[in-house]
Amino acid sequence: MAGRFSAYLHHVTVALLVLQLALSSMLAIASDADPEQDFCVADLASTALVNGFVCKSAVAVTANDFVFHGLATPGNTTNAAGSSVTPAFAAQFPGLNTLGISMARLDFAQAGLVPPHTHPRATEILFVVEGSLLVGFVSTNNQLFATTVNTGDVFVFPRGLLHFELNVGEGQAIAIAALDSQNPGVQAQAAALFGSGISDVVLEKAFGLSERAVDHIKSEFAP
């Protein structure tokens, strides 16, 4: 009996260790890798292909590599969506390379919208600088979590979930987003579905649309 119980404990212990290793691996994969040096300023001129950017030579790094001025300038909101997103990702801000963080400035004209989109590699936290925004995300069981946030409020969008921001105030709105990846990725849902070349038949069946309706929507997202 004692031997059988010992064997049972052994199997439970092994199972727990495997589960712990699996969870550790998932957590490690779910975010940018930890840096292995003080900094790795991106060499944007390099043609080498790596997961991220190649480091610029340390002797060529200056304080200017750690400064980004782009968020000081309002974005152009004279477009169909009435919004503009100015990214400060590693591609625009080389000093962020390997640090696992980034930012963006969001500008909205009145009734402006940042259309539903996802960031496959990052959680986003949004700070409202000015105005009122209707913000929300959809969970993987298709539950909508939406509310209105005002100047000074903060809202978080979990990693990889579909989300949006709509200006519901009486004037312009400004927000600053912070993300836990140097390259969070952005996939706009409508453009991905109707502007990527997916077969009309797939879209007709998926959305219950006619061929004419699909062609019309696709024309709005043509390159």
Side-chain angles (χ1 to χ4, degrees):
M1 186 73 177
R4 188 179 302 171
F5 183 69
S6 296
Y8 170 77
L9 285 179
H10 172 74
H11 289 307
V12 170
T13 302
V14 170
L16 289 173
L17 286 173
V18 170
L19 179 60
Q20 182 177 6
L21 287 172
L23 289 173
S24 298
S25 298
M26 290 172 64
L27 290 172
I29 293 170
S31 60
D32 291 358
D34 288 335
E36 297 182 359
Q37 60 276 317
D38 290 344
F39 52 79
C40 173
V41 173
D43 182 357
L44 300 180
S46 174
T47 58
L49 299 177
V50 296
N51 187 20
F53 293 99
V54 173
C55 303
K56 180 192 291 189
S57 171
V59 298
V61 173
T62 71
N64 288 334
D65 289 312
F66 303 99
V67 179
F68 181 72
H69 301 288
L71 301 190
T73 304
N76 181 4
T77 59
T78 57
N79 52 60
S83 67
S84 176
V85 178
T86 304
F89 302 163
Q92 296 82 29
F93 188 2
L96 293 182
N97 194 40
T98 75
L99 298 184
I101 56 171
S102 60
M103 299 184 73
R105 171 176 174 149
L106 287 66
D107 289 279
F108 301 82
Q110 188 170 6
L113 169 72
V114 174
H117 63 283
T118 63
H119 300 296
R121 294 181 290 276
T123 293
E124 174 184 347
I125 188 165
L126 187 79
F127 172 72
V128 183
V129 177
E130 177 184 341
S132 298
L133 298 173
L134 173 64
V135 298
F137 65 85
V138 180
S139 69
T140 55
N141 63 358
N142 291 328
Q143 182 176 358
L144 173 65
F145 295 87
T147 190
T148 299
V149 289
N150 302 297
T151 301
D153 290 341
V154 173
F155 190 84
V156 65
F157 304 103
R159 179 189 304 269
L161 295 186
L162 186 69
H163 61 282
F164 61 87
E165 300 96 359
L166 172 68
N167 183 5
V168 293
E170 296 182 356
Q172 69 172 10
I174 304 170
I176 297 292
L179 305 103
D180 64 340
S181 172
Q182 68 177 40
N183 181 25
V186 181
Q187 186 173 53
Q189 295 305 105
L193 289 167
F194 294 96
S196 63
I198 293 176
S199 165
D200 285 9
V201 174
V202 172
L203 296 172
E204 290 165 19
K205 288 182 176 294
F207 295 100
L209 297 172
S210 67
E211 181 180 356
R212 181 177 180 181
V214 168
D215 288 341
H216 174 71
I217 298 172
K218 277 190 168 183
S219 70
E220 297 296 318
F221 295 95

